[in-house]
Amino acid sequence: MEDEPVDAVRPTSTTSQDAESASGSGWADVRPPGGGHAESTAVSGPAPASPAAVGSTAVGSETASQAAASQLDPALTAGGHATVTAVADRPAAAGHPGSPGGHTPGNGHPSRASSSRHGRGAARGDTSRVEVSVVMPCLNEEASVGDCVRAARAGLSRLGLPGEVVVVDNGSTDSSAARATAAGARVVAERRRGYGNAYLTGFATARGRIIVMGDADSSYDFTAIDALVAPLLRGEADYVLGSRLGGQILPGAMPWLHRYIGNPVLTAILNRLFGVRASDAHSGMRAFTRDAYTRMALRSEGMELASEIVVAAARAELRCVEIPITYHPRVGASKLDSVRDGWRHLRFMLLLAPRHLFVLPGLLLLALGLLGQASLLVAAVTDPARVTGDPGIQGASEPYGWYGTLICVLAALVGGQLVLLGAFADAHHGRVGWRMPGQRPPRLVRWPLTPGRGGFLGSTLFATGLVAAVVLGVLVVTATGGHDAAGMTRVTAPWPGWSPRLGAPAALPAAGLALTVAALGLQGMLGTFYLRLVATATGAAAR
């Protein structure tokens, strides 16, 4: 599948998590509005004259599941269900995904939520007759899509369950759609380019209780879907990942860069950020139940959908199982862009990890900035030139005091802003259902930013820092009287008892520290207004 550079995430409302109590959190602790799964369909074209049968007998949903789970074997068995082929099309969604016009409950695809005479709405009554749906995205795969469809049909026959094969044509300019139809697939069209767009359309139009996903380039063995589906049928899992890195990768199937650097590194980052233990987070062959799909509320439009499924499964607390699979060389040229698609995966993970992206780096910068200013203040106060007044001694604070103070002030302010961005991101994620438990800002950050408490603390810091900065500024102006013969700053006594320890070099970092405190207080005070706005909007939407 080719993945055009479309921004990854579609905002939506979902009830993927329970809200925390208002006293234990800092913001947006109201259950996000919406939830549920949007009924979806693609607009189908004319159906062929006769359906192609996979096997001979259709078994009822629950009875078939139990029978298949207890009698799976390598031999092909009778059974299966006729798959109706149709070339489908649907118009592009109206409105940008992030705009009110493009915002819908469920999976965030407005046009997938409409029903039509030929699509999912019409087939809703036949859902019980389809137990397993195999979904394949396709973009100019005429050399392989027919073989993949036939392999999937053979896998369904081997499984002994009624099923269908859904091929999502993502704008092919060759005969891919016709070859998929001829092989027995039901073809739907998704005009918006993107790996995620194609899959989300396929998932929405699939009629099965179990959904199997895999690419239409012959890199996955669809005849072995019985092993992928077995844990679902036995009730042992809600989501099954076919691991290439945990299985076998045939020669020429995966470039060295992807096998030993790209996939392992991105998978390790995902595991670290979200506390999961996936061995191959970017495998293209997976299976999950219809209920699991609804609970995951997937919305990514590009290649990062592979990462989102792993993260969403963890967020929804799905029971996950991995099985080893064999990865084959693909047929045709790869449409994967290593740098672009790798970045999209990394960007997606970072966007869902505000604790690591914003909060922890922000706290580090904030601490370094404040400690640096305190150190410069101590160095200036204890400067031998200031203490003894000896013009022959070069003050320790002179060479680095000005620049050091400026750098430390900047570090502290940037750090404070990053911490606020992390708080904002967490509030947003809580509203739309993206919040991961391990990615919340620490309580040290949430407590002072609680809307009621944060306003008071922020205004107090702002007023205190501002007054201190003004006082110190006046002292600097009144205590500095040019330079002496040795080039040292001449400090005069503005009143009797004035100590040279409080001269201009010491007042500079002190004033910088005071201004930093004032700016941080102002940031925090204004930031709590935004957090209150998010919490109020969330509560209003929930009602």
Side-chain angles (χ1 to χ4, degrees):
M1 285 293 305
E2 184 175 10
D3 174 26
E4 291 193 344
V6 182
D7 282 342
V9 183
R10 294 177 177 234
T12 186
S13 301
T14 176
T15 55
S16 63
Q17 304 174 306
D18 291 333
E20 301 179 14
S21 64
S23 60
S25 74
W27 49 80
D29 291 309
V30 184
R31 177 183 295 274
H37 175 61
E39 290 302 326
S40 308
T41 185
V43 182
S44 302
S50 62
V54 174
S56 58
T57 307
V59 188
S61 297
E62 297 302 324
T63 304
S65 298
Q66 297 170 0
S70 61
Q71 299 179 7
L72 286 175
D73 58 66
L76 295 178
T77 58
H81 178 68
T83 57
V84 180
T85 63
V87 178
D89 194 6
R90 84 176 159 76
H96 188 275
S99 65
H103 182 88
T104 60
N107 285 28
H109 290 259
S111 58
R112 295 187 186 111
S114 62
S115 66
S116 68
R117 183 170 57 88
H118 296 288
R120 182 172 167 78
R124 190 66 177 171
D126 296 334
T127 302
S128 61
R129 296 169 50 198
V130 177
E131 188 70 9
V132 180
S133 294
V134 181
V135 179
M136 305 178 191
C138 176
L139 175 61
N140 296 329
E141 304 286 3
E142 63 180 1
S144 57
V145 65
D147 293 336
C148 290
V149 171
R150 284 184 285 271
R153 286 164 52 83
L156 291 172
S157 179
R158 178 176 179 172
L159 190 60
L161 289 175
E164 65 173 355
V165 179
V166 180
V167 172
V168 184
D169 183 14
N170 201 204
S172 297
T173 56
D174 59 9
S175 60
S176 295
R179 295 194 180 195
T181 301
R186 179 164 61 93
V187 178
V188 296
E190 171 54 78
R191 293 181 178 177
R192 292 171 297 179
R193 288 287 181 88
Y195 182 84
N197 277 329
Y199 262 129
L200 292 179
T201 295
F203 297 158
T205 59
R207 296 189 289 246
R209 186 178 66 88
I210 293 174
I211 299 174
V212 177
M213 58 181 286
D215 299 338
D217 57 9
S218 293
S219 56
Y220 297 104
D221 183 7
F222 287 100
T223 63
I225 60 175
D226 53 344
L228 200 67
V229 171
L232 304 177
L233 296 177
R234 292 195 297 263
E236 299 172 353
D238 305 305
Y239 158 67
V240 180
L241 170 66
S243 175
R244 304 165 298 175
L245 300 180
Q248 182 181 10
I249 300 177
L250 299 182
M254 185 181 295
W256 181 91
L257 181 65
H258 296 179
R259 182 172 184 176
Y260 296 105
I261 298 179
N263 282 308
V265 169
L266 288 174
T267 298
I269 293 174
L270 186 146
N271 289 341
R272 176 66 183 87
L273 292 179
F274 304 107
V276 299
R277 292 187 293 179
S279 65
D280 186 8
H282 305 100
S283 171
M285 193 169 197
R286 315 176 193 214
F288 40 82
T289 63
R290 169 68 58 180
D291 177 68
Y293 164 65
T294 302
R295 290 165 61 188
M296 287 189 289
L298 305 173
R299 53 183 75 84
S300 293
E301 299 177 344
M303 292 295 296
E304 63 276 10
L305 179 72
S307 295
E308 187 191 8
I309 292 176
V310 179
V311 176
R315 184 177 61 234
E317 299 181 345
L318 301 182
R319 297 170 300 160
C320 303
V321 171
E322 287 192 6
I323 65 167
I325 62 172
T326 301
Y327 192 55
H328 301 260
R330 65 162 289 136
V331 174
S334 174
K335 303 173 182 67
L336 185 69
D337 186 308
S338 300
V339 175
R340 184 194 67 191
D341 294 325
W343 163 243
R344 293 187 64 139
H345 282 289
L346 181 60
R347 180 183 62 184
F348 171 81
M349 291 186 281
L350 291 176
L351 288 175
L352 293 187
R355 184 186 184 102
H356 289 79
L357 179 62
F358 297 120
V359 178
L360 296 183
L363 289 176
L364 178 62
L365 280 176
L366 179 60
L368 290 176
L370 294 178
L371 289 175
Q373 291 180 71
S375 299
L376 289 172
L377 178 59
V378 171
V381 169
T382 59
D383 189 340
R386 299 300 104 195
V387 175
T388 65
D390 184 356
I393 301 177
Q394 176 66 34
S397 64
E398 295 286 354
Y400 56 81
W402 299 89
Y403 298 108
T405 298
L406 179 61
I407 291 173
C408 290
V409 168
L410 182 62
L413 294 181
V414 171
Q417 188 61 52
L418 286 176
V419 171
L420 270 182
L421 286 175
F424 295 162
D426 179 74
H428 170 268
H429 291 357
R431 172 170 169 74
V432 301
W434 293 349
R435 180 181 285 162
M436 298 291 292
Q439 284 300 327
R440 296 218 64 187
R443 188 170 179 80
L444 174 68
V445 173
R446 301 203 309 271
W447 185 86
L449 287 177
T450 302
R453 187 182 300 118
F456 173 76
L457 293 177
S459 59
T460 300
L461 288 175
F462 173 68
T464 302
L466 190 61
V467 170
V470 171
V471 171
L472 288 168
V474 171
L475 293 179
V476 170
V477 172
T478 58
T480 303
H483 295 79
D484 55 24
M488 299 291 293
T489 301
R490 181 182 300 113
V491 180
T492 61
W495 55 73
W498 170 263
S499 171
R501 290 175 181 267
L502 297 178
L508 173 64
L513 184 59
L515 286 174
T516 301
V517 170
L520 292 175
L522 181 62
Q523 283 182 342
M525 181 175 62
L526 296 178
T528 57
F529 282 100
Y530 176 79
L531 295 174
R532 170 62 71 183
L533 176 64
V534 173
T536 302
T538 302
R543 290 191 295 272

